[in-house]
Coordinates of all heavy atoms in Angstrom, one line a residue:
H199 N 154.2 83.1 135.9 CA 154.4 83.8 137.2 C 153.0 83.8 138.0 O 152.0 83.9 137.3 CB 154.9 85.2 137.0 CG 155.2 85.9 138.3 ND1 156.3 85.6 139.0 CD2 154.5 86.9 138.9 CE1 156.3 86.4 140.1 NE2 155.2 87.2 140.1
T210 N 156.9 92.1 136.6 CA 157.7 90.9 136.6 C 158.3 90.7 135.3 O 157.7 90.9 134.3 CB 156.7 89.7 137.0 OG1 156.1 90.1 138.2 CG2 157.5 88.4 137.2
S215 N 164.6 85.7 123.9 CA 165.5 85.7 122.7 C 164.7 84.9 121.6 O 164.0 83.9 121.9 CB 166.8 84.9 122.9 OG 167.7 85.7 123.7
R352 N 150.3 89.6 98.9 CA 150.7 90.9 99.5 C 152.2 91.1 99.6 O 152.7 92.2 99.4 CB 150.1 91.0 100.8 CG 148.6 91.1 100.7 CD 148.0 91.4 102.0 NE 146.6 91.8 101.8 CZ 145.9 92.5 102.6 NH1 146.4 92.9 103.7 NH2 144.7 92.8 102.3
I367 N 160.6 99.4 115.9 CA 159.5 99.9 116.7 C 160.1 100.6 117.9 O 161.0 100.0 118.6 CB 158.6 98.7 117.2 CG1 157.9 98.0 116.0 CG2 157.5 99.2 118.2 CD1 157.2 96.7 116.3
K391 N 158.0 111.8 125.2 CA 159.3 111.0 125.0 C 160.0 111.6 123.7 O 159.3 111.9 122.7 CB 158.9 109.6 124.7 CG 160.0 108.7 124.2 CD 160.3 107.6 125.1 CE 161.6 106.8 124.6 NZ 161.3 105.4 124.5
L444 N 144.9 112.4 123.0 CA 145.5 113.2 122.0 C 147.0 112.8 121.8 O 147.7 112.6 122.8 CB 145.4 114.7 122.4 CG 144.0 115.2 122.5 CD1 144.0 116.6 123.1 CD2 143.2 115.1 121.2
A519 N 152.4 104.1 123.9 CA 152.2 103.9 122.4 C 153.5 103.3 121.9 O 154.5 103.3 122.5 CB 152.0 105.3 121.7
G545 N 135.5 120.7 118.0 CA 134.5 121.5 118.6 C 133.8 120.6 119.6 O 133.3 119.5 119.2
E647 N 114.4 97.3 154.0 CA 115.4 97.3 155.1 C 116.4 98.4 154.9 O 116.6 98.9 153.8 CB 116.1 96.0 155.3 CG 115.2 94.9 155.9 CD 115.9 93.6 155.9 OE1 117.1 93.5 156.3 OE2 115.3 92.6 155.4
K662 N 131.4 98.1 115.6 CA 131.2 97.9 114.2 C 132.3 98.5 113.4 O 132.7 99.6 113.7 CB 129.9 98.5 113.7 CG 128.7 98.0 114.5 CD 127.4 98.7 114.0 CE 126.3 98.3 114.9 NZ 125.1 99.1 114.7
S673 N 134.3 93.3 107.2 CA 133.4 94.0 108.1 C 133.2 93.2 109.4 O 133.2 91.9 109.3 CB 132.0 94.3 107.5 OG 131.2 93.1 107.6
S712 N 130.9 83.6 112.1 CA 129.9 84.2 112.9 C 129.6 83.3 114.1 O 129.7 82.1 114.1 CB 128.7 84.5 112.1 OG 127.7 83.5 112.3

Side-chain angles (χ1 to χ4, degrees):
H199 186 73
T210 303
S215 284
R352 293 192 167 198
I367 297 171
K391 169 122 183 232
L444 301 172
E647 284 174 51
K662 300 178 190 169
S673 84
S712 102

